[in-house]
Amino acid sequence: MTTQNAITWPERYLPGTGDNFVSNEVVVAGLSAAQVWPLLTDTSRWEGYYDNVADISFPAGDGPVLSQGVHFSFGTFGFPPLDAAVVEFQHPGEGTPGRLSWTAKQEGTPDEKLDVLHAWLVEDLPVGRVRVLTQETQIGRPAAELAAQRPNPMLNGHQAWLDGLVGAARNS
C-alpha cells in the first residue's frame, strides 16, 4: 500500500470554503521529483512550458528561483499582475515531498478583489514514478466568475501547466 501526501491548507483557504477551487494531478513514470522541482521553482522557466503566465517580476530583487518568503508578481488568466508571496517551501527529498505554496492578491473594488492560495506537491512514488499535485483556492468575485464558466478555465489552465511541466522535465 502506498500513502500519498496532501496539501497543507491554512484555514482561510480550506478547499470548498472559497469562491473557486480546483485540483489537478498527474502521476507519471520515468521522472523523479528531483527532475520536476527545478522547473517548477525557477520562474524563468515557466513561460517556456506554460503559456498562461506572463510579466513575472521580483519587486524586492529576489528570484527568479522561488524560496520561502520570496515576493513576486505575475499575470495569469487575464488578470493584471498579482502580488504573490511564497508561504510554504520544502525541497523534495527521500521520503519527503516537495511543497510550494504562494498567496496571490489583486486589490481594488469589491468586484476586482482576488485572494488566492496556489499550492504544489511533488513527490516520488514507488516503481520510478512521480506525482505532481496542484490545487488552488480563490476568494473574490473574479474567482466566482471563473467557477461559473464551463469548463472552468482554471481547471484547464492548471492541467496545461502540469502537462507542460512534465513535458519540460522529460526534455531536460
Side-chain angles (χ1 to χ4, degrees):
M1 175 191 266
T2 299
T3 301
Q4 296 179 340
N5 289 284
I7 301 291
T8 305
W9 287 100
E11 187 174 331
R12 173 168 174 71
Y13 302 100
L14 192 64
T17 64
D19 295 302
N20 194 13
F21 172 78
V22 298
S23 180
N24 298 73
E25 176 180 40
V26 294
V27 177
V28 296
L31 287 176
S32 68
Q35 291 171 286
V36 172
W37 188 252
L39 294 164
L40 175 60
T41 58
D42 183 349
T43 63
S44 70
R45 311 279 301 269
W46 289 1
E47 290 182 65
Y49 65 83
Y50 181 51
D51 65 6
N52 191 25
V53 67
D55 303 320
I56 302 166
S57 67
F58 292 83
D62 297 320
V65 178
L66 299 176
S67 61
Q68 185 70 37
V70 166
H71 289 265
F72 64 108
S73 70
F74 65 101
T76 188
F77 292 101
F79 295 116
L82 302 169
D83 295 322
V86 176
V87 295
E88 184 180 30
F89 188 93
Q90 173 182 285
H91 285 278
E94 184 67 34
T96 304
R99 293 181 178 278
L100 172 63
S101 296
W102 60 77
T103 57
K105 299 182 189 300
Q106 174 178 286
E107 298 300 329
T109 69
D111 286 344
E112 298 167 330
K113 280 191 173 189
L114 184 64
D115 184 3
V116 169
L117 182 85
H118 192 153
W120 295 82
L121 189 137
V122 181
E123 67 180 327
D124 289 318
L125 297 176
V127 196
R129 299 171 301 144
V130 68
R131 173 181 178 234
V132 184
L133 171 66
T134 186
Q135 297 180 327
E136 183 169 321
T137 292
Q138 297 180 333
I139 302 165
R141 187 160 293 152
E145 291 170 0
L146 282 175
Q149 296 179 41
R150 296 292 176 265
N152 184 325
M154 194 169 65
L155 185 66
N156 287 343
H158 287 178
Q159 190 62 47
W161 198 338
L162 283 174
D163 294 345
L165 178 61
V166 167
R170 288 197 188 284
N171 291 326
S172 49

